[in-house]
Amino acid sequence: KQEVTQIPAALSVPEGENLVLNCSFTDSAIYNLQWFRQDPGKGLTSLLLIQSSQREQTSGRLNASLDKSSGRSTLYIAASQPGDSATYLCAVLGNQFYFGTGTSLTVIP
Amino acid sequence: DAMVIQNPRYQVTQFGKPVTLSCSQTLNHNVMYWYQQKSSQAPKLLFHYYDKDFNNEADTPDNFQSRRPNTSFCFLDIRSPGLGDAAMYLCATSRGRTGPYEQYFGPGTRLTVT
């Protein structure tokens, strides 16, 4: 069974800092990997989708990379802002979607 | 805008009293999913529909049922809610079940059981 791990579980950084969130998965037979943002008590907002044939995707200050062979993805956030504070979840699609438990990010003004 | 809509956003029910949560989509996607998410945990897939084909996860309790009367709507029925069923329930859609398909989530329904 696919296992998805996100480290660290929580991260606190000062405003303006660049940061990297990590996602690892045990089975490289995936169709895609998706990064989500979740604000407290809310649903999931899709940030980036990387297909298995792709190496990275960018949207604004966000850049996600995928190394399928090593079972790793990173989400890079440039010039962090307090509004980036949220929980970030990665999910991989194999025979179903498997989610990590998330990284709770706090950006301190 | 095309989207996934969940109603109600907040639901309070009594222990053992049946409750139904609703999800609708304007994306015309083939697949609709129901997830349960408890505090600080990853979303847990309960079941999904591919068109009218219902797929139940092996560890989903019998207490949870689902209906999909048409492409746009999907319902989650909890027949006899227990205190342990208090959670956020998330509905999601995707165009396909396997392949490079993106999931789109609704805002969730927060269920409280008293």
Side-chain angles (χ1 to χ4, degrees), chain B residues 86-107:
Chain B
M88 173 75 87
Y89 289 88
L90 298 166
C91 175
T93 73
S94 66
R95 193 173 303 280
R97 197 168 35 189
T98 56
Y101 299 112
E102 186 170 359
Q103 274 196 113
Y104 296 81
F105 278 81

PDB file of all heavy atoms in Angstrom, chain B residues 86-107:
ATOM      1  N   ALA B  86     -17.796  12.424  14.315  1.00  0.00           N
ATOM      2  CA  ALA B  86     -17.621  13.869  14.225  1.00  0.00           C
ATOM      3  C   ALA B  86     -16.322  14.163  13.479  1.00  0.00           C
ATOM      4  O   ALA B  86     -15.250  13.668  13.852  1.00  0.00           O
ATOM      5  CB  ALA B  86     -17.580  14.479  15.621  1.00  0.00           C
ATOM      6  N   ALA B  87     -16.429  14.920  12.409  1.00  0.00           N
ATOM      7  CA  ALA B  87     -15.280  15.142  11.536  1.00  0.00           C
ATOM      8  C   ALA B  87     -15.665  16.159  10.475  1.00  0.00           C
ATOM      9  O   ALA B  87     -16.808  16.604  10.390  1.00  0.00           O
ATOM     10  CB  ALA B  87     -14.840  13.845  10.860  1.00  0.00           C
ATOM     11  N   MET B  88     -14.685  16.513   9.646  1.00  0.00           N
ATOM     12  CA  MET B  88     -14.953  17.268   8.421  1.00  0.00           C
ATOM     13  C   MET B  88     -15.150  16.248   7.310  1.00  0.00           C
ATOM     14  O   MET B  88     -14.346  15.315   7.180  1.00  0.00           O
ATOM     15  CB  MET B  88     -13.770  18.181   8.099  1.00  0.00           C
ATOM     16  CG  MET B  88     -13.885  18.890   6.763  1.00  0.00           C
ATOM     17  SD  MET B  88     -15.061  20.248   6.822  1.00  0.00           S
ATOM     18  CE  MET B  88     -13.963  21.565   7.389  1.00  0.00           C
ATOM     19  N   TYR B  89     -16.211  16.419   6.522  1.00  0.00           N
ATOM     20  CA  TYR B  89     -16.469  15.533   5.389  1.00  0.00           C
ATOM     21  C   TYR B  89     -16.255  16.325   4.104  1.00  0.00           C
ATOM     22  O   TYR B  89     -16.870  17.364   3.881  1.00  0.00           O
ATOM     23  CB  TYR B  89     -17.873  14.937   5.487  1.00  0.00           C
ATOM     24  CG  TYR B  89     -17.939  13.927   6.606  1.00  0.00           C
ATOM     25  CD1 TYR B  89     -18.245  14.329   7.911  1.00  0.00           C
ATOM     26  CD2 TYR B  89     -17.613  12.597   6.394  1.00  0.00           C
ATOM     27  CE1 TYR B  89     -18.251  13.423   8.965  1.00  0.00           C
ATOM     28  CE2 TYR B  89     -17.627  11.680   7.437  1.00  0.00           C
ATOM     29  CZ  TYR B  89     -17.932  12.105   8.720  1.00  0.00           C
ATOM     30  OH  TYR B  89     -17.921  11.208   9.756  1.00  0.00           O
ATOM     31  N   LEU B  90     -15.360  15.807   3.302  1.00  0.00           N
ATOM     32  CA  LEU B  90     -14.948  16.498   2.086  1.00  0.00           C
ATOM     33  C   LEU B  90     -15.413  15.731   0.863  1.00  0.00           C
ATOM     34  O   LEU B  90     -15.239  14.514   0.774  1.00  0.00           O
ATOM     35  CB  LEU B  90     -13.423  16.617   2.044  1.00  0.00           C
ATOM     36  CG  LEU B  90     -12.785  17.426   3.169  1.00  0.00           C
ATOM     37  CD1 LEU B  90     -11.285  17.181   3.223  1.00  0.00           C
ATOM     38  CD2 LEU B  90     -13.060  18.905   2.991  1.00  0.00           C
ATOM     39  N   CYS B  91     -15.987  16.447  -0.062  1.00  0.00           N
ATOM     40  CA  CYS B  91     -16.378  15.893  -1.353  1.00  0.00           C
ATOM     41  C   CYS B  91     -15.380  16.377  -2.394  1.00  0.00           C
ATOM     42  O   CYS B  91     -14.925  17.531  -2.342  1.00  0.00           O
ATOM     43  CB  CYS B  91     -17.788  16.353  -1.695  1.00  0.00           C
ATOM     44  SG  CYS B  91     -18.367  15.871  -3.335  1.00  0.00           S
ATOM     45  N   ALA B  92     -15.025  15.514  -3.314  1.00  0.00           N
ATOM     46  CA  ALA B  92     -14.098  15.899  -4.376  1.00  0.00           C
ATOM     47  C   ALA B  92     -14.554  15.273  -5.692  1.00  0.00           C
ATOM     48  O   ALA B  92     -15.298  14.287  -5.697  1.00  0.00           O
ATOM     49  CB  ALA B  92     -12.670  15.453  -4.041  1.00  0.00           C
ATOM     50  N   THR B  93     -14.103  15.848  -6.775  1.00  0.00           N
ATOM     51  CA  THR B  93     -14.414  15.304  -8.095  1.00  0.00           C
ATOM     52  C   THR B  93     -13.137  15.232  -8.924  1.00  0.00           C
ATOM     53  O   THR B  93     -12.156  15.944  -8.659  1.00  0.00           O
ATOM     54  CB  THR B  93     -15.436  16.168  -8.857  1.00  0.00           C
ATOM     55  OG1 THR B  93     -14.793  17.381  -9.302  1.00  0.00           O
ATOM     56  CG2 THR B  93     -16.632  16.539  -7.995  1.00  0.00           C
ATOM     57  N   SER B  94     -13.148  14.358  -9.915  1.00  0.00           N
ATOM     58  CA  SER B  94     -12.088  14.363 -10.916  1.00  0.00           C
ATOM     59  C   SER B  94     -12.663  13.809 -12.212  1.00  0.00           C
ATOM     60  O   SER B  94     -13.686  13.121 -12.213  1.00  0.00           O
ATOM     61  CB  SER B  94     -10.873  13.547 -10.464  1.00  0.00           C
ATOM     62  OG  SER B  94     -11.187  12.182 -10.351  1.00  0.00           O
ATOM     63  N   ARG B  95     -11.980  14.118 -13.294  1.00  0.00           N
ATOM     64  CA  ARG B  95     -12.480  13.698 -14.607  1.00  0.00           C
ATOM     65  C   ARG B  95     -12.399  12.188 -14.763  1.00  0.00           C
ATOM     66  O   ARG B  95     -13.273  11.560 -15.364  1.00  0.00           O
ATOM     67  CB  ARG B  95     -11.674  14.386 -15.715  1.00  0.00           C
ATOM     68  CG  ARG B  95     -12.298  14.264 -17.083  1.00  0.00           C
ATOM     69  CD  ARG B  95     -11.538  15.108 -18.087  1.00  0.00           C
ATOM     70  NE  ARG B  95     -11.471  16.509 -17.706  1.00  0.00           N
ATOM     71  CZ  ARG B  95     -12.451  17.380 -17.889  1.00  0.00           C
ATOM     72  NH1 ARG B  95     -13.581  16.997 -18.442  1.00  0.00           N
ATOM     73  NH2 ARG B  95     -12.289  18.618 -17.515  1.00  0.00           N
ATOM     74  N   GLY B  96     -11.322  11.608 -14.214  1.00  0.00           N
ATOM     75  CA  GLY B  96     -11.150  10.174 -14.323  1.00  0.00           C
ATOM     76  C   GLY B  96     -10.581   9.609 -13.044  1.00  0.00           C
ATOM     77  O   GLY B  96     -10.189  10.343 -12.130  1.00  0.00           O
ATOM     78  N   ARG B  97     -10.521   8.293 -12.973  1.00  0.00           N
ATOM     79  CA  ARG B  97     -10.093   7.624 -11.747  1.00  0.00           C
ATOM     80  C   ARG B  97      -8.605   7.301 -11.778  1.00  0.00           C
ATOM     81  O   ARG B  97      -7.929   7.359 -10.759  1.00  0.00           O
ATOM     82  CB  ARG B  97     -10.907   6.335 -11.595  1.00  0.00           C
ATOM     83  CG  ARG B  97     -10.883   5.739 -10.220  1.00  0.00           C
ATOM     84  CD  ARG B  97     -11.930   4.649 -10.086  1.00  0.00           C
ATOM     85  NE  ARG B  97     -12.133   3.870 -11.292  1.00  0.00           N
ATOM     86  CZ  ARG B  97     -13.112   2.986 -11.440  1.00  0.00           C
ATOM     87  NH1 ARG B  97     -13.956   2.775 -10.461  1.00  0.00           N
ATOM     88  NH2 ARG B  97     -13.258   2.314 -12.548  1.00  0.00           N
ATOM     89  N   THR B  98      -8.072   6.939 -12.924  1.00  0.00           N
ATOM     90  CA  THR B  98      -6.647   6.684 -13.057  1.00  0.00           C
ATOM     91  C   THR B  98      -6.154   7.491 -14.248  1.00  0.00           C
ATOM     92  O   THR B  98      -6.834   7.583 -15.269  1.00  0.00           O
ATOM     93  CB  THR B  98      -6.350   5.203 -13.280  1.00  0.00           C
ATOM     94  OG1 THR B  98      -7.078   4.741 -14.415  1.00  0.00           O
ATOM     95  CG2 THR B  98      -6.739   4.375 -12.067  1.00  0.00           C
ATOM     96  N   GLY B  99      -4.972   8.063 -14.102  1.00  0.00           N
ATOM     97  CA  GLY B  99      -4.471   8.932 -15.153  1.00  0.00           C
ATOM     98  C   GLY B  99      -4.125  10.279 -14.554  1.00  0.00           C
ATOM     99  O   GLY B  99      -4.246  10.493 -13.356  1.00  0.00           O
ATOM    100  N   PRO B 100      -3.705  11.205 -15.364  1.00  0.00           N
ATOM    101  CA  PRO B 100      -3.232  12.501 -14.860  1.00  0.00           C
ATOM    102  C   PRO B 100      -4.380  13.448 -14.530  1.00  0.00           C
ATOM    103  O   PRO B 100      -4.478  14.536 -15.087  1.00  0.00           O
ATOM    104  CB  PRO B 100      -2.400  13.020 -16.018  1.00  0.00           C
ATOM    105  CG  PRO B 100      -3.078  12.464 -17.227  1.00  0.00           C
ATOM    106  CD  PRO B 100      -3.549  11.086 -16.822  1.00  0.00           C
ATOM    107  N   TYR B 101      -5.236  13.025 -13.615  1.00  0.00           N
ATOM    108  CA  TYR B 101      -6.436  13.804 -13.330  1.00  0.00           C
ATOM    109  C   TYR B 101      -6.296  14.548 -12.025  1.00  0.00           C
ATOM    110  O   TYR B 101      -5.886  14.001 -11.019  1.00  0.00           O
ATOM    111  CB  TYR B 101      -7.657  12.883 -13.284  1.00  0.00           C
ATOM    112  CG  TYR B 101      -7.899  12.167 -14.584  1.00  0.00           C
ATOM    113  CD1 TYR B 101      -7.736  10.786 -14.681  1.00  0.00           C
ATOM    114  CD2 TYR B 101      -8.272  12.869 -15.720  1.00  0.00           C
ATOM    115  CE1 TYR B 101      -7.944  10.132 -15.873  1.00  0.00           C
ATOM    116  CE2 TYR B 101      -8.486  12.211 -16.920  1.00  0.00           C
ATOM    117  CZ  TYR B 101      -8.321  10.848 -16.994  1.00  0.00           C
ATOM    118  OH  TYR B 101      -8.528  10.202 -18.171  1.00  0.00           O
ATOM    119  N   GLU B 102      -6.713  15.801 -12.060  1.00  0.00           N
ATOM    120  CA  GLU B 102      -6.668  16.648 -10.884  1.00  0.00           C
ATOM    121  C   GLU B 102      -7.937  16.463 -10.074  1.00  0.00           C
ATOM    122  O   GLU B 102      -9.019  16.277 -10.633  1.00  0.00           O
ATOM    123  CB  GLU B 102      -6.531  18.103 -11.325  1.00  0.00           C
ATOM    124  CG  GLU B 102      -6.320  19.095 -10.225  1.00  0.00           C
ATOM    125  CD  GLU B 102      -5.958  20.478 -10.773  1.00  0.00           C
ATOM    126  OE1 GLU B 102      -5.860  20.615 -12.008  1.00  0.00           O
ATOM    127  OE2 GLU B 102      -5.774  21.394  -9.966  1.00  0.00           O
ATOM    128  N   GLN B 103      -7.809  16.511  -8.749  1.00  0.00           N
ATOM    129  CA  GLN B 103      -8.962  16.477  -7.861  1.00  0.00           C
ATOM    130  C   GLN B 103      -9.372  17.901  -7.505  1.00  0.00           C
ATOM    131  O   GLN B 103      -8.522  18.746  -7.237  1.00  0.00           O
ATOM    132  CB  GLN B 103      -8.635  15.745  -6.563  1.00  0.00           C
ATOM    133  CG  GLN B 103      -8.820  14.253  -6.619  1.00  0.00           C
ATOM    134  CD  GLN B 103      -8.857  13.665  -5.231  1.00  0.00           C
ATOM    135  OE1 GLN B 103      -9.864  13.165  -4.754  1.00  0.00           O
ATOM    136  NE2 GLN B 103      -7.735  13.717  -4.558  1.00  0.00           N
ATOM    137  N   TYR B 104     -10.671  18.104  -7.471  1.00  0.00           N
ATOM    138  CA  TYR B 104     -11.224  19.396  -7.064  1.00  0.00           C
ATOM    139  C   TYR B 104     -12.090  19.146  -5.826  1.00  0.00           C
ATOM    140  O   TYR B 104     -12.981  18.301  -5.852  1.00  0.00           O
ATOM    141  CB  TYR B 104     -12.078  19.997  -8.176  1.00  0.00           C
ATOM    142  CG  TYR B 104     -11.296  20.334  -9.421  1.00  0.00           C
ATOM    143  CD1 TYR B 104     -10.977  19.358 -10.358  1.00  0.00           C
ATOM    144  CD2 TYR B 104     -10.866  21.641  -9.649  1.00  0.00           C
ATOM    145  CE1 TYR B 104     -10.254  19.666 -11.502  1.00  0.00           C
ATOM    146  CE2 TYR B 104     -10.140  21.955 -10.792  1.00  0.00           C
ATOM    147  CZ  TYR B 104      -9.842  20.960 -11.711  1.00  0.00           C
ATOM    148  OH  TYR B 104      -9.126  21.276 -12.836  1.00  0.00           O
ATOM    149  N   PHE B 105     -11.836  19.930  -4.790  1.00  0.00           N
ATOM    150  CA  PHE B 105     -12.527  19.716  -3.524  1.00  0.00           C
ATOM    151  C   PHE B 105     -13.568  20.804  -3.270  1.00  0.00           C
ATOM    152  O   PHE B 105     -13.391  21.969  -3.652  1.00  0.00           O
ATOM    153  CB  PHE B 105     -11.529  19.726  -2.371  1.00  0.00           C
ATOM    154  CG  PHE B 105     -10.822  18.422  -2.180  1.00  0.00           C
ATOM    155  CD1 PHE B 105      -9.732  18.091  -2.968  1.00  0.00           C
ATOM    156  CD2 PHE B 105     -11.258  17.526  -1.226  1.00  0.00           C
ATOM    157  CE1 PHE B 105      -9.087  16.880  -2.801  1.00  0.00           C
ATOM    158  CE2 PHE B 105     -10.617  16.306  -1.047  1.00  0.00           C
ATOM    159  CZ  PHE B 105      -9.526  15.987  -1.839  1.00  0.00           C
ATOM    160  N   GLY B 106     -14.609  20.399  -2.566  1.00  0.00           N
ATOM    161  CA  GLY B 106     -15.564  21.346  -2.029  1.00  0.00           C
ATOM    162  C   GLY B 106     -15.058  21.911  -0.714  1.00  0.00           C
ATOM    163  O   GLY B 106     -14.003  21.510  -0.215  1.00  0.00           O
ATOM    164  N   PRO B 107     -15.830  22.836  -0.113  1.00  0.00           N
ATOM    165  CA  PRO B 107     -15.401  23.491   1.121  1.00  0.00           C
ATOM    166  C   PRO B 107     -15.545  22.619   2.357  1.00  0.00           C
ATOM    167  O   PRO B 107     -15.032  22.966   3.418  1.00  0.00           O
ATOM    168  CB  PRO B 107     -16.314  24.703   1.210  1.00  0.00           C
ATOM    169  CG  PRO B 107     -17.541  24.284   0.471  1.00  0.00           C
ATOM    170  CD  PRO B 107     -17.084  23.385  -0.631  1.00  0.00           C
TER     171      PRO B 107
END
